[in-house]
Amino acid sequence: MVRSFVALLKKELSGLHEAAFLLAFFAFFSQILAVVRDRLLAHSFGAGSELDIYYTAFRIPDFIYISIASLASITVLIPFLSEYLKDESISSKDRAGHFLNSVLTTFTALIGLVSIGAWFFMPQLTPFIAPGFSEGARESLVQLSRILLLSPILLGLSNLFGSITQLFRRFFVYALSPILYNIGIIIGIVWFYPIFGLSGLAYGVVLGAIFHMALQLWSLWGGALHPRFVSTVDFGIIRRVVVLSLPRTFALSASHITMLVLVALATLMPDGSVSVFNFAFNLQSVPLSLIGVSYSLAAFPVLASLFTNGDKKAFVEKILTALKHIIFWLLPATIFFIVLRAHIVRVFLGSGDFSWADTRLTAAALALFVISIFAQGATLLLVRGFYAAGETRIPLWGAVVSSIISVISAFLLTNIFVSQEIFRYFIESLLRVEEIPGTILLMLPLAFTLGSIVNTVWLWVFFVKKYDSIVEFGVIRSFFQNFSAGIIAGVVTYAFLYLLEDSFNQDTFIGIFSQGFIAGIFGIITWVGVLFILGNIEIREVWFTLRQKFWKSDVVAEGMTEL
C-alpha cells in the first residue's frame, strides 16, 4: 500500500488533459480544506477586528514572497532546465544541477536577508498597510507579521523544488502540497489558537509551509536532480535568471501592490471590511484554482518544451486548446456563482459569529469578484504562454496597466459611492444589500474586477497580434456558446430557487444547502443540454475524457488539437 502510494506520487504524466484533470482533482480537495479553514475562522471570529488583523498580517510577507520568490519561480526555471536537459547525457544533468545549486544558494541568502530586514522595520511598515488600525491593533499586526515572515522563505524554497517535480511532470506531488499547507493552517486554528491566541494562527501558517516544502524536498530525494547549497555560485547563471525574472517580478509585484492598496483602503472602512474582502476573494478563488490554475500549470512544461524545440504551431494550438476549456468551465461557473452567491456564502461560512449581515455583504462582494474569474483564468494561461516563449514585456505592461486601473478605480469608485446617492442606491439595490452597513467595501472588488478584465484584454490582443498567422478563432465560438448556455442555465437555476423557496427551511444548513443544490443541478443539466444542442466540441471531449479514466492513461486522443 505504501509503495503504491509512493509510486503514485512519483508518477510522470504525459498528457495535458490528464495532468490538468489530476491537478484539478487535488485542487478540489485543497479548496475543500481552504473552505473548512475559512469556515472555522468565520465561526470563531465573524467578520471583525481580530480577523482583520490576521488577514492584514499576510500583506508584507506575501509581498516578499511575490517579489523575491518570483526570481526563482517555476515559470522562470523550467525553460532553463528544459534547455539544459535537451538530452539525457551526464554532462546535461551536471549543468542542470550546477544551475539549480547556484539559484538555490543565492535565492535563500537573498530572501533570508530581506525577511530579517522586514522583521526589524515591521513597526515602521504597518502604518502604510493598515492606516485605519488603532495603535493596539498595529502592535498585534506587527507580532503576527513577524511570525509569518518564515512563510515566504519556506514556500519560496518549496517553489524552487517544485520546478523540478513539474519538469519531470510529477504533478501528484505538486498538487498534494497545497493540501498539506491548508492542513497546517487548520491545525493552527483548532489547536494553536486556544494556546497562543492570534499568534497561534500564524504558527499554523508556518507549519503548513513546512509541510508544503517537506513534501517537495522528499520527492526529489535520490533523483537525478537533488539541489543543495554550495559555497561557490556561478553569478553568470544568476544574471541570466534575474534578467529573465525581473519583468515577471515587477509584474507580480505590481499586482500585489494592488492588493496592498485595496486592503489598506479596507482598513479605513468599518471593522470586518478586510475579513469580508478576503472571504469573498477566497471563495472566488475556488473555481479559479480548480480550472484556471490547473490548466495553466499542466500546460506550462509542454509549452516550454514546444517553444524550445521551435514548434510554434503546436505551441499556439496548446494554448488555444487550454483556453477553450478554461472558457468552457469558468464562464458557467461565473453565472452559477452570481445566482447562488448567498447560498454559497451561507453554506460555507454562515455559522457561529458570522452574522446575516456579514453573509449578505460577503455574497455581494463575491458576485463582483466572480465577474472576472474567467479573465483571471485566461490571464494565468496567457502569461505562462508568453513566459514559455521568453516574452516578458507584454505580461509586465499588462500587469502594470491593470494595477493602475484597479488602484485609480478604487479611489474613484469609493468617492463616487460616498458622494453620489443614486450610484450607491443602484449598487446596493442590484446586490440586495440595502440597509447593510459597510457597503462601501463593494467598490474594492469592483475595482479589482475592472483591472483583471483589462489585463486579459491586453494579453489577448498582443497574443493574436504575435501569432496572427496561426491563431484560429474557435475560441470566440466557444466563448459565445458557453456564454449563451450559461445565461439560460442561470435563469433556470434562479427559477428553481424561487420555486423551492417554501419547500425548505431557510434557517437551517440542510435547508439552504438542499435548495441551492437542487436548483444548481437543474441549472447544470440545462447548461449541458444547451451545449449539446449547440454542437459544442468541448462538452463532447470532456465526456470522452471522463469515460477514458483520465487518471490512468493519456487521454489526448491521436490527432486531436482540442481538449
Side-chain angles (χ1 to χ4, degrees), residues 231-281:
S231 57
T232 304
V233 173
D234 187 336
F235 286 102
I237 288 176
I238 301 302
R239 190 178 300 109
R240 287 185 63 200
V241 172
V242 170
V243 168
L244 182 62
S245 300
L246 277 179
R248 181 175 186 271
T249 299
F250 290 146
L252 291 173
S253 297
S255 300
H256 199 74
I257 287 172
T258 300
M259 296 299 291
L260 278 171
V261 173
L262 295 181
V263 170
L265 287 173
T267 67
L268 296 168
M269 298 174 184
D271 286 348
S273 295
V274 175
S275 302
V276 168
F277 180 87
N278 278 274
F279 279 137
F281 183 83

Side-chain angles (χ1 to χ4, degrees), residues 401-421:
V401 170
S402 66
S403 295
I404 291 172
I405 289 175
S406 290
V407 170
I408 293 176
S409 297
F411 283 100
L412 288 178
L413 288 170
T414 51
N415 286 330
I416 294 172
F417 192 86
V418 171
S419 61
Q420 301 295 323
E421 187 175 345

Side-chain angles (χ1 to χ4, degrees), residues 234-522:
D234 187 336
F235 286 102
I237 288 176
I238 301 302
R239 190 178 300 109
R240 287 185 63 200
V241 172
V242 170
V243 168
L244 182 62
S245 300
L246 277 179
R248 181 175 186 271
T249 299
F250 290 146
L252 291 173
S253 297
S255 300
H256 199 74
I257 287 172
T258 300
M259 296 299 291
L260 278 171
V261 173
L262 295 181
V263 170
L265 287 173
T267 67
L268 296 168
M269 298 174 184
D271 286 348
S273 295
V274 175
S275 302
V276 168
F277 180 87
N278 278 274
F279 279 137
F281 183 83
N282 291 343
L283 284 173
Q284 70 99 36
S285 298
V286 172
L288 182 64
S289 297
L290 293 177
I291 307 302
V293 173
S294 296
Y295 269 105
S296 60
L297 284 176
F300 186 68
V302 180
L303 295 176
S305 177
L306 289 172
F307 196 87
T308 300
N309 294 328
D311 194 347
K312 290 186 180 181
K313 186 174 187 298
F315 170 82
V316 173
E317 287 175 350
K318 283 291 182 184
I319 292 178
L320 295 178
T321 295
L323 183 58
K324 281 184 276 191
H325 279 266
I326 288 173
I327 292 171
F328 171 80
W329 292 110
L330 288 185
L331 266 183
T334 298
I335 295 168
F336 284 124
F337 263 63
I338 291 174
V339 174
L340 297 170
R341 62 187 183 275
H343 290 74
I344 291 171
V345 174
R346 289 183 70 183
V347 166
F348 292 136
L349 301 176
S351 69
D353 289 337
F354 200 75
S355 67
W356 175 233
D358 295 338
T359 298
R360 292 175 64 186
L361 193 57
T362 304
L366 175 62
L368 294 173
F369 269 126
V370 297
I371 292 172
S372 67
I373 58 170
F374 157 69
Q376 294 176 63
T379 294
L380 288 171
L381 176 67
L382 292 172
V383 164
R384 281 178 168 83
F386 279 117
Y387 286 140
E391 175 58 68
T392 57
R393 292 173 299 174
I394 294 172
L396 168 60
W397 286 111
V400 170
V401 170
S402 66
S403 295
I404 291 172
I405 289 175
S406 290
V407 170
I408 293 176
S409 297
F411 283 100
L412 288 178
L413 288 170
T414 51
N415 286 330
I416 294 172
F417 192 86
V418 171
S419 61
Q420 301 295 323
E421 187 175 345
I422 294 177
F423 178 71
R424 182 170 66 252
Y425 178 76
F426 171 75
I427 294 294
E428 291 178 343
S429 300
L430 181 66
L431 297 171
R432 298 184 176 182
V433 287
E434 304 95 331
E435 309 300 328
I436 299 294
T439 52
I440 189 175
L441 165 72
L442 299 177
M443 298 302 96
L444 303 184
L446 181 56
F448 177 88
T449 287
L450 291 174
S452 298
I453 293 172
V454 167
N455 197 7
T456 304
V457 172
W458 175 283
L459 293 170
W460 176 247
V461 167
F462 279 95
F463 178 79
V464 172
K465 183 178 179 181
K466 190 176 181 67
Y467 301 105
D468 182 55
S469 61
I470 305 175
V471 169
E472 53 90 12
F473 287 91
V475 171
I476 297 176
R477 179 211 64 219
S478 180
F479 179 90
F480 282 107
Q481 286 181 343
N482 279 277
F483 182 76
S484 301
I487 291 294
I488 296 172
V491 172
V492 171
T493 302
Y494 185 82
F496 272 92
L497 284 178
Y498 179 77
L499 292 173
L500 296 170
E501 188 173 5
D502 296 329
S503 301
F504 298 97
N505 186 347
Q506 304 294 304
D507 295 325
T508 65
F509 172 86
I510 295 297
I512 290 296
F513 175 81
S514 299
Q515 183 195 18
F517 179 78
I518 293 173
I521 289 296
F522 277 101

Side-chain angles (χ1 to χ4, degrees), residues 519-532:
I521 289 296
F522 277 101
I524 291 171
I525 293 172
T526 303
W527 169 63
V528 172
V530 172
L531 287 178
F532 270 111

